[in-house]
């Protein structure tokens, strides 16, 4: 008999709900990536939703392996913490780069909040 067969039904149901909710949120983020129109909208939807979906799947993984192995399994927590730290940081860097390029191209984007920051010079000015 394997460890998976020894799980009680209520625990299997909790794990299944967590995994399905996480997968559903990841699917919503993917759909948002396809449906939204601008780069800024596209970068926002998958980052937030995928992080939440990752945390739900991480909880299911910790519960499953902790029960099956008989010890607290925290390896999935390390992965989720890594994703929770890197996804927003990467998203901010990508959006800042896109905002910088949009300002250089003269597109209608919000102005810089730092008036003493680097100024944008067009290639014709230099």
């Amino acid at each position: 008999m394997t460890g998976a067969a020894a799980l009680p039904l209520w625990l299997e149901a909790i794990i299944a709900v967590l995994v399905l909710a996480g997968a559903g949120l990841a699917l919503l983020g993917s759909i948002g990536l396809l449906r939204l129109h601008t780069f800024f909208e596209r970068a926002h939807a998958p980052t937030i939703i995928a992080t939440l979906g990752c945390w739900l799947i991480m909880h299911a993984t910790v519960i499953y392996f902790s029960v099956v192995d008989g010890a607290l399994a925290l390896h999935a927590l390390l992965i989720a913490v890594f994703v929770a730290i890197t996804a927003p940081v990467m998203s901010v860097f990508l959006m800042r780069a896109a905002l910088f390029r949009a300002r250089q191209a003269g597109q209608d984007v919000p102005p810089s909040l730092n008036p003493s920051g680097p100024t944008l010079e067009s290639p014709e000015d230099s």
Side-chain angles (χ1 to χ4, degrees):
M1 179 177 264
T2 64
L7 292 178
L9 181 61
W10 62 271
L11 190 57
E12 288 180 353
I14 290 173
I15 292 170
V17 166
L18 288 172
V19 168
L20 289 176
L25 286 175
L27 179 63
L28 281 177
S30 300
I31 291 171
L33 183 66
L34 291 175
R35 294 199 45 133
L36 295 175
H37 300 290
T38 67
F39 171 78
F40 298 106
E41 293 171 337
R42 286 181 181 164
H44 193 66
T47 302
I48 292 173
I49 291 178
T51 302
L52 181 59
C54 175
W55 278 96
L56 289 173
I57 292 173
M58 181 275 304
H59 281 96
T61 304
V62 168
I63 292 170
Y64 176 79
F65 284 107
S66 294
V67 170
V68 168
D69 294 341
L72 189 59
L74 295 177
H75 58 279
L77 180 64
L78 294 174
I79 296 170
V81 167
F82 180 74
V83 169
I85 291 171
T86 58
V89 170
M90 178 212 53
S91 177
V92 167
F93 282 145
L94 285 174
M95 285 194 252
R96 287 184 66 145
L99 188 61
F100 182 78
R101 290 187 62 155
R103 285 183 185 141
Q104 267 190 328
Q107 296 177 355
D108 186 25
V109 293
S112 176
L113 297 176
N114 186 6
S116 63
T119 59
L120 298 177
E121 295 180 12
S122 64
E124 295 86 30
D125 293 341
S126 54

